[in-house]
Amino acid sequence: MSSDTWDTKKEQRAGLLYGIGAYGMWGVVPLFWPLLKPAGAIEILAHRMVWSLAVVAVAMLVVRRWGWIGELLRQPAKLGLIAVAATVITVNWGLYIWSVNSGHVVEASLGYFINPLVTIAMGVLLLGERMRPAQWAAVGVGAAAVVVLAVGYGQPPWISLVLAFSFATYGLVKKKVNLGGLESLAAETAIQFLPALGYLIWLGTSGGLAFGAHGAGHASLLAATGLVTAVPLVCFGAAAIRVPLSTLGLLQYLAPVFQFALGVVYFHEAMPAERWAGFALVWVALTLLTWDAVRTARTAAATRARTATATTATAPGAAETLPVAEPGTVQMADPGAVRATDPGAVPERR
C-alpha cells in the first residue's frame, strides 16, 4: 500500500471519528440543559449566544482568518441572509432548550428525524427541484406519520415541526451564504450578541438573572454553553473535509437516535402505541430516503466508470499510455472512489 493511500485512509478514519464525535455530542446534549436550571430557557439561550461568540473569537485568533470580514461587510445581501440564518437558528436553539427542560425530549428528537424530509420538500417548493419516486414516497410516508402523531398527541406535533422547518431553513440560507463553518458561526453569533447581552443586562437589573446567583459551578456551566455549541461544530467541520457527504448524511441520524433513547429510557417520557406508530412511519420514510440515495449514487458511479473506460479504450494511443504496475506490486484503486459493485460501500451524495 502506497503512503498516499495509507494517508488517505487514515484521514477518512479520523473524519469518521470526528463525525461520530460531533453527532454523538449533539445526541447527548439533552443531558446538559437540565443542569442549567433554575435558569429559564431564554436566559440559557442568551448565554449560549454570548459565550459562543467568545469561544469563536478565541478560535479566530488562533487560526488568524480575518479577511472574510471586510469582504462580507461589502455585501449587504449576504449580510441580510446571515441575519436570517441567525434568526432561524435562534428560534431553533431556544425551542430545543425549552423542549428538553420541559419534558419534550422525544418530540424534539422527532424534529431532527423529519428534518431531511422537510429539506427535500423545501427543495421542491422553493428551488424547483425534482423528486424521484422513492423520495415522493418517503415524503408521503413522513406526512402520514405527522397525521398519526397529531392524532396521538391530540394536536399537531408543533415542537417537531418548528424544529424541523427552522433547521431546514437555516440549512437553505447557509447554502446560499456559502461561508466556512467557523466564519459563519462567528457572523451569526456577532448578530445575536448585542440582543442577547442586552437581555442578560436587563435580567440582572430586574433581579431575575440566574448567572452568579447559584454558585460558581452553575455560573461555569452557563459559560460552558459556548463550548457546548462550538466544539461539536468544530468536529463536524473536521469531518466534512475528510469523509463523503453521504457518510455525514448517515451519521446525522445518530443525534436524534440518541435523543430519542434518552427521552424514553432516561427521562421516562410516555410512548403510547400511536406515538410508536408515528415514529415507525418516520423511520420507514428515512429508510426509503437512504436506500434511494445509495442506489442513485451507485448507479451514477457505475455510469461514470463505464464512461471513463470507454473514453480510455477509444483514445488515440491508449494502449501505449495505460499505466502498468511494477512487478510484485498491487495497483490500488482511487481511495476516494466507490465501486458500484461493493454492497457495503456508501457512495458520495451528489
Side-chain angles (χ1 to χ4, degrees), residues 313-326:
T314 56
E320 289 79 11
T321 58
L322 287 173
V324 179
E326 296 180 10

PDB file of all heavy atoms in Angstrom, residues 313-326:
ATOM      1  N   ALA A 313     -10.520   3.515 -23.721  1.00  0.00           N
ATOM      2  CA  ALA A 313     -10.356   2.494 -24.765  1.00  0.00           C
ATOM      3  C   ALA A 313     -10.326   3.097 -26.154  1.00  0.00           C
ATOM      4  O   ALA A 313      -9.666   2.577 -27.041  1.00  0.00           O
ATOM      5  CB  ALA A 313     -11.488   1.473 -24.663  1.00  0.00           C
ATOM      6  N   THR A 314     -11.033   4.211 -26.354  1.00  0.00           N
ATOM      7  CA  THR A 314     -11.118   4.783 -27.700  1.00  0.00           C
ATOM      8  C   THR A 314     -10.126   5.909 -27.924  1.00  0.00           C
ATOM      9  O   THR A 314     -10.013   6.416 -29.029  1.00  0.00           O
ATOM     10  CB  THR A 314     -12.534   5.343 -27.936  1.00  0.00           C
ATOM     11  OG1 THR A 314     -12.855   6.304 -26.906  1.00  0.00           O
ATOM     12  CG2 THR A 314     -13.567   4.216 -27.892  1.00  0.00           C
ATOM     13  N   ALA A 315      -9.390   6.323 -26.898  1.00  0.00           N
ATOM     14  CA  ALA A 315      -8.435   7.429 -27.055  1.00  0.00           C
ATOM     15  C   ALA A 315      -7.256   6.984 -27.901  1.00  0.00           C
ATOM     16  O   ALA A 315      -6.770   5.856 -27.768  1.00  0.00           O
ATOM     17  CB  ALA A 315      -7.944   7.891 -25.681  1.00  0.00           C
ATOM     18  N   PRO A 316      -6.778   7.862 -28.825  1.00  0.00           N
ATOM     19  CA  PRO A 316      -5.617   7.507 -29.655  1.00  0.00           C
ATOM     20  C   PRO A 316      -4.410   7.212 -28.776  1.00  0.00           C
ATOM     21  O   PRO A 316      -4.101   7.962 -27.857  1.00  0.00           O
ATOM     22  CB  PRO A 316      -5.394   8.771 -30.496  1.00  0.00           C
ATOM     23  CG  PRO A 316      -6.724   9.473 -30.487  1.00  0.00           C
ATOM     24  CD  PRO A 316      -7.332   9.178 -29.170  1.00  0.00           C
ATOM     25  N   GLY A 317      -3.747   6.107 -29.060  1.00  0.00           N
ATOM     26  CA  GLY A 317      -2.545   5.768 -28.297  1.00  0.00           C
ATOM     27  C   GLY A 317      -2.840   5.274 -26.908  1.00  0.00           C
ATOM     28  O   GLY A 317      -1.953   5.233 -26.072  1.00  0.00           O
ATOM     29  N   ALA A 318      -4.099   4.874 -26.657  1.00  0.00           N
ATOM     30  CA  ALA A 318      -4.456   4.489 -25.303  1.00  0.00           C
ATOM     31  C   ALA A 318      -3.657   3.287 -24.829  1.00  0.00           C
ATOM     32  O   ALA A 318      -3.260   3.211 -23.684  1.00  0.00           O
ATOM     33  CB  ALA A 318      -5.952   4.157 -25.236  1.00  0.00           C
ATOM     34  N   ALA A 319      -3.413   2.340 -25.751  1.00  0.00           N
ATOM     35  CA  ALA A 319      -2.716   1.130 -25.332  1.00  0.00           C
ATOM     36  C   ALA A 319      -1.317   1.445 -24.853  1.00  0.00           C
ATOM     37  O   ALA A 319      -0.783   0.798 -23.970  1.00  0.00           O
ATOM     38  CB  ALA A 319      -2.668   0.133 -26.490  1.00  0.00           C
ATOM     39  N   GLU A 320      -0.685   2.469 -25.495  1.00  0.00           N
ATOM     40  CA  GLU A 320       0.687   2.791 -25.116  1.00  0.00           C
ATOM     41  C   GLU A 320       0.744   3.623 -23.841  1.00  0.00           C
ATOM     42  O   GLU A 320       1.759   3.649 -23.155  1.00  0.00           O
ATOM     43  CB  GLU A 320       1.371   3.587 -26.236  1.00  0.00           C
ATOM     44  CG  GLU A 320       1.676   2.762 -27.484  1.00  0.00           C
ATOM     45  CD  GLU A 320       0.436   2.558 -28.347  1.00  0.00           C
ATOM     46  OE1 GLU A 320      -0.575   3.214 -28.089  1.00  0.00           O
ATOM     47  OE2 GLU A 320       0.499   1.735 -29.280  1.00  0.00           O
ATOM     48  N   THR A 321      -0.341   4.324 -23.489  1.00  0.00           N
ATOM     49  CA  THR A 321      -0.260   5.252 -22.365  1.00  0.00           C
ATOM     50  C   THR A 321      -0.864   4.701 -21.080  1.00  0.00           C
ATOM     51  O   THR A 321      -0.798   5.340 -20.051  1.00  0.00           O
ATOM     52  CB  THR A 321      -1.005   6.564 -22.698  1.00  0.00           C
ATOM     53  OG1 THR A 321      -2.375   6.258 -23.009  1.00  0.00           O
ATOM     54  CG2 THR A 321      -0.370   7.257 -23.886  1.00  0.00           C
ATOM     55  N   LEU A 322      -1.447   3.474 -21.157  1.00  0.00           N
ATOM     56  CA  LEU A 322      -2.008   2.924 -19.937  1.00  0.00           C
ATOM     57  C   LEU A 322      -0.896   2.621 -18.948  1.00  0.00           C
ATOM     58  O   LEU A 322       0.138   2.045 -19.316  1.00  0.00           O
ATOM     59  CB  LEU A 322      -2.780   1.630 -20.240  1.00  0.00           C
ATOM     60  CG  LEU A 322      -4.125   1.816 -20.947  1.00  0.00           C
ATOM     61  CD1 LEU A 322      -4.690   0.447 -21.327  1.00  0.00           C
ATOM     62  CD2 LEU A 322      -5.102   2.550 -20.032  1.00  0.00           C
ATOM     63  N   PRO A 323      -1.053   2.975 -17.667  1.00  0.00           N
ATOM     64  CA  PRO A 323      -0.015   2.694 -16.673  1.00  0.00           C
ATOM     65  C   PRO A 323       0.053   1.207 -16.375  1.00  0.00           C
ATOM     66  O   PRO A 323      -0.951   0.499 -16.409  1.00  0.00           O
ATOM     67  CB  PRO A 323      -0.496   3.475 -15.445  1.00  0.00           C
ATOM     68  CG  PRO A 323      -1.975   3.571 -15.607  1.00  0.00           C
ATOM     69  CD  PRO A 323      -2.205   3.679 -17.088  1.00  0.00           C
ATOM     70  N   VAL A 324       1.250   0.738 -16.101  1.00  0.00           N
ATOM     71  CA  VAL A 324       1.472  -0.670 -15.787  1.00  0.00           C
ATOM     72  C   VAL A 324       2.081  -0.758 -14.403  1.00  0.00           C
ATOM     73  O   VAL A 324       3.029  -0.040 -14.083  1.00  0.00           O
ATOM     74  CB  VAL A 324       2.418  -1.330 -16.821  1.00  0.00           C
ATOM     75  CG1 VAL A 324       2.659  -2.791 -16.470  1.00  0.00           C
ATOM     76  CG2 VAL A 324       1.836  -1.199 -18.220  1.00  0.00           C
ATOM     77  N   ALA A 325       1.539  -1.652 -13.578  1.00  0.00           N
ATOM     78  CA  ALA A 325       2.058  -1.804 -12.220  1.00  0.00           C
ATOM     79  C   ALA A 325       3.437  -2.441 -12.261  1.00  0.00           C
ATOM     80  O   ALA A 325       3.750  -3.252 -13.128  1.00  0.00           O
ATOM     81  CB  ALA A 325       1.111  -2.667 -11.398  1.00  0.00           C
ATOM     82  N   GLU A 326       4.270  -2.057 -11.306  1.00  0.00           N
ATOM     83  CA  GLU A 326       5.583  -2.662 -11.211  1.00  0.00           C
ATOM     84  C   GLU A 326       5.444  -4.123 -10.800  1.00  0.00           C
ATOM     85  O   GLU A 326       4.504  -4.494 -10.102  1.00  0.00           O
ATOM     86  CB  GLU A 326       6.424  -1.918 -10.173  1.00  0.00           C
ATOM     87  CG  GLU A 326       6.709  -0.467 -10.561  1.00  0.00           C
ATOM     88  CD  GLU A 326       7.544   0.207  -9.501  1.00  0.00           C
ATOM     89  OE1 GLU A 326       8.029  -0.504  -8.600  1.00  0.00           O
ATOM     90  OE2 GLU A 326       7.714   1.423  -9.582  1.00  0.00           O
TER      91      GLU A 326
END
